Amino acid sequence: MTGIIDVSSSANRWSWNFDEHIPSDTGEGRRVLQELLMQLERHEWGEHDTFGIHLAVEEALVNAIHHGNQDDLDKKVHVVFRVSPTQVRIEISDEGSGFDPTSVPDPTEEENLEIPCGRGLMLMRNFMSLIEFNDLGNAVTMEKSRSE
């Protein structure tokens, strides 16, 4: 099942849930990112938090589409967003073979400054409160708590 689900039950800590499988297309990635950004605005998240979440999610989506699924439109990216007034949770998985996030070079180290990899992962780690990959390396879960 795909689409947007609004949850207003007080038993659920999330006030907005989104769960969709999208084609490996950057336009679709932008569309779902805009859905998330509209909900962050609706939940009155601040500009600083929204900026960081935007960058982290954009990087994760681009990685899933380009690196994971190799831009193959027959492959899907599974996107789950959960938003509350104080917390956001993002889950993005692709159908690729995965990678080892510990093998990605640190782009801030002198010998890696001109290597064009690792910057997206660095942004994700710096802007989110939590970032975890599954064992295969083809799914990432990120969380952010609202700044005070």
Side-chain angles (χ1 to χ4, degrees), residues 4-130:
I4 302 169
I5 305 163
D6 278 304
V7 179
S8 56
S9 167
S10 60
N12 188 328
R13 72 178 178 137
W14 305 111
S15 52
W16 181 75
N17 293 296
F18 179 94
D19 187 330
E20 190 171 319
H21 289 85
I22 63 168
S24 298
D25 174 74
T26 54
E28 284 294 305
R30 282 191 298 274
R31 179 185 64 79
V32 298
L33 177 57
Q34 286 305 315
E35 294 274 353
L36 174 62
L37 295 175
M38 287 188 324
Q39 288 301 319
L40 292 173
E41 183 178 338
R42 182 175 153 243
H43 285 80
E44 299 179 352
W45 278 69
E47 190 175 322
H48 177 76
D49 286 335
T50 300
F51 174 80
I53 294 166
H54 182 162
L55 283 178
V57 173
E58 187 172 56
E59 288 296 333
L61 286 167
V62 166
N63 287 346
I65 292 167
H66 292 307
H67 300 297
N69 287 349
Q70 303 290 306
D71 297 303
D72 182 344
L73 294 175
D74 292 329
K75 292 184 177 180
K76 302 291 186 197
V77 175
H78 186 201
V79 180
V80 177
F81 299 140
R82 301 189 194 300
V83 177
S84 80
T86 59
Q87 188 85 13
V88 65
R89 181 179 175 92
I90 294 106
E91 300 170 27
I92 298 174
S93 59
D94 59 62
E95 296 179 22
S97 59
F99 80 112
D100 177 4
T102 63
S103 70
V104 176
D106 180 348
T108 63
E109 291 184 9
E110 184 71 32
E111 66 271 14
N112 300 326
L113 291 177
E114 296 189 31
I115 297 174
C117 66
R119 287 170 180 72
L121 190 54
M122 179 189 69
L123 287 171
M124 291 162 55
R125 286 182 172 139
N126 283 310
F127 283 116
M128 302 303 286
S129 308
L130 167 84

